[in-house]
Amino acid sequence: MQAEDRVIHFSVELVHAPSTSSKESLQRLYYELSQSRTAGYDSTDFTNMAAPRFYSRRGQKTQSIAVFLPDRLVLIEEWADMALSDFLEKIREIAPKVLAARGVPEFVAHTVTIRSTFALSHYEDARIFLIDHACGQENRITPHFKRPIAVGGLRFVLPETNEHPGSLNITIESFRHSRSEVFVEVKGIYGRERVTDESMEIVERNVRAVRTFISESVYHYLNQYDTPRPAPEF
């Protein structure tokens, strides 16, 4: 398996006590962020004031989005074209300003979601790799479901422990946009530590922890199965 995965999505949800934002306060925030090299957005959408948003579009698919829900800030990089360090800088710049704009002192919980894909070395079809090879389900599914499988895979939930803060929800699937790639999503849920404008490094640490879990733990888990198949016997 190729050791370097391709990150396609970063997002964080930063949960705070319920608070409302006026259009004027968000417009001021938008202007303030527009002065930043990494945290600025190209457009706003205030049509639904229950979930106003800032956004930028680049190319056909890449989007940067900030959504302001009554009890949380959601920062999303979809089909991401930025490095992890740039995403972390965006969090550091935006999150403290949102606390001030909304008049709340802290984020009481947060989630981190990262999606990436791994290219297989010895299999051309990720469905065969995951379902038949890794899970040992060859010829065990189709006779019962009686239709083709578009996407298949695995799901794990790892609870928080004293040694490992935050629970992890892990999805490993065949990637519907590329036949030979495995799609991985890991969502970390953190509620043990509250985050103020002076302790944003807590969120940064947990974003890095999710990224490391994918690049190390998930990679080694999958790589043990991506081995050359024996030649057929005649």
Side-chain angles (χ1 to χ4, degrees):
M1 177 172 289
Q2 303 301 310
E4 293 294 329
D5 60 339
R6 177 169 64 107
V7 177
I8 59 175
H9 174 101
F10 298 114
S11 64
V12 293
E13 292 181 85
L14 304 172
V15 181
H16 55 69
S19 177
T20 57
S21 297
S22 67
K23 182 177 179 180
E24 291 74 20
S25 66
L26 289 177
Q27 287 174 326
R28 288 193 296 270
L29 176 61
Y30 177 77
Y31 176 77
E32 188 176 357
L33 294 177
S34 71
Q35 311 305 305
S36 167
R37 178 184 62 84
T38 58
Y41 294 88
D42 296 337
S43 304
T44 61
D45 183 354
F46 297 118
T47 54
N48 177 10
M49 282 307 294
R53 64 185 186 132
F54 304 161
Y55 64 93
S56 300
R57 292 192 176 96
R58 298 178 296 280
Q60 293 185 338
K61 297 188 293 185
T62 300
Q63 293 189 73
S64 298
I65 307 169
V67 184
F68 302 88
L69 298 173
D71 68 342
R72 71 195 61 197
L73 165 68
V74 186
L75 300 178
I76 304 166
E77 296 296 325
E78 194 67 73
W79 293 102
D81 61 356
M82 64 171 56
L84 176 65
S85 58
D86 291 332
F87 181 61
L88 293 174
E89 185 176 348
K90 180 172 281 194
I91 295 171
R92 286 194 297 270
E93 287 199 40
I94 297 175
K97 291 179 171 64
V98 171
L99 287 177
R102 295 201 135 178
V104 291
E106 62 188 6
F107 296 111
V108 298
H110 59 280
T111 72
V112 177
T113 301
I114 299 179
R115 299 170 186 154
S116 72
T117 68
F118 286 97
L120 297 169
S121 298
H122 301 288
Y123 288 80
E124 296 180 353
D125 192 324
R127 293 169 300 178
I128 293 173
F129 168 73
L130 285 172
I131 299 172
D132 293 356
H133 182 57
C135 297
Q137 295 296 297
E138 186 174 7
N139 299 322
R140 294 176 181 269
I141 297 175
T142 303
H144 302 283
F145 292 173
K146 303 185 187 305
R147 62 177 66 187
I149 297 172
V151 175
L154 301 157
R155 182 172 181 268
F156 305 94
V157 176
L158 308 185
E160 183 173 35
T161 68
N162 290 332
E163 296 78 19
H164 300 95
S167 62
L168 298 180
N169 291 269
I170 305 160
T171 300
I172 302 171
E173 298 176 341
S174 53
F175 188 40
R176 61 189 179 93
H177 297 288
S178 176
R179 189 166 175 251
S180 62
E181 291 182 77
V182 176
F183 168 86
V184 175
E185 177 187 277
V186 176
K187 180 176 183 178
I189 303 172
Y190 302 92
R192 182 181 293 183
E193 296 177 283
R194 301 197 170 199
V195 177
T196 69
D197 58 351
E198 296 182 349
S199 59
M200 292 305 302
E201 69 275 3
I202 295 172
V203 177
E204 179 176 346
R205 180 193 69 205
N206 291 331
V207 173
R208 291 188 182 280
V210 170
R211 179 71 187 108
T212 299
F213 187 86
I214 292 175
S215 59
E216 295 183 2
S217 300
V218 175
Y219 166 75
H220 288 297
Y221 169 72
L222 292 173
N223 193 51
Q224 68 181 327
Y225 296 107
D226 190 16
T227 56
R229 287 176 284 182
E233 297 181 1
F234 297 99

